[in-house]
Amino acid sequence: MANGSTRPVIGVLALQGDFREHEVALAACDVPSIEVRTLAQLDAVDGLIIPGGESTTIARLLLAFELMDPLRERIRAGLPVWGTCAGAILLAKEVSDLDRSPIGVMDIRVERNAFGRQIDSFEADLKVAGVDGPPVHAVFIRAPVIRDAGPGVDVLATLADGRIVAARQGRLLATAFHPELTGDRRLHELFVAIVADAIRTEAA
Ligand code: GLN
């Protein structure tokens, strides 16, 4: 555990986008979070959320803050990461139409802005594998879709037309929608459980 306590510390990448909403959601789950903008902060977390925003901008800022390579290395070494929307785009190994390299750690191919422009944003109720109870009310804002998922990737949710909008590969979670905006904490709980599990595995 990065802070030596019994609870995981979750970082929220705070370069651009809706990182504050994730902090509020984590606080509602009673999980401490810190904003990550430096290498020292990255090294202090047990898991990281990459928020929604603009993936091109976040990619540029990761490079400008010299976080891109260290983050990629830490993810490859087992750091659990959840990317929502722009964050999911950045996790993908293959992305259409991104003018910088993504972090590129998850075996998914992502199409940016797959539903059109901001005005084509929408909401849908989704069954998400691993999330018990009623469907998750999912908010899509100029969202991507996951076009292909590799063999090691579990598809967690699809739209009615079959397009993939949530996936997991080991400790990596990608959602095309924004669970931090709805007050439903179940996906945050799922990520906290992934982080707690990773800590237990490393300690064993
Ligand atoms: N359209 C944005 C992008 O391509 C993602 C939108 C979002 O994160 N809500 O980066």
Side-chain angles (χ1 to χ4, degrees), residues 16-99:
Q16 190 264 340
D18 74 335
F19 52 90
R20 285 191 190 82
E21 286 78 358
H22 277 292
E23 292 167 28
V24 170
L26 289 167
C29 298
D30 209 20
V31 172
S33 67
I34 63 170
E35 294 182 355
V36 171
R37 295 187 189 84
T38 66
L39 198 49
Q41 290 162 340
L42 180 62
D43 285 337
V45 301
D46 301 301
L48 183 73
I49 294 177
I50 305 178
E54 195 55 44
S55 51
T56 49
T57 305
I58 299 175
R60 283 167 204 224
L61 291 171
L62 279 170
L63 292 167
F65 282 66
E66 297 184 345
L67 284 173
M68 184 66 98
D69 290 338
L71 178 55
R72 192 177 285 129
E73 276 163 31
R74 277 159 188 71
I75 298 172
R76 288 188 179 141
L79 180 73
V81 180
W82 175 21
T84 57
C85 202
I89 294 168
L90 289 164
L91 286 178
K93 283 195 177 158
E94 256 189 83
V95 184
S96 62
D97 187 28
L98 188 71
D99 62 356

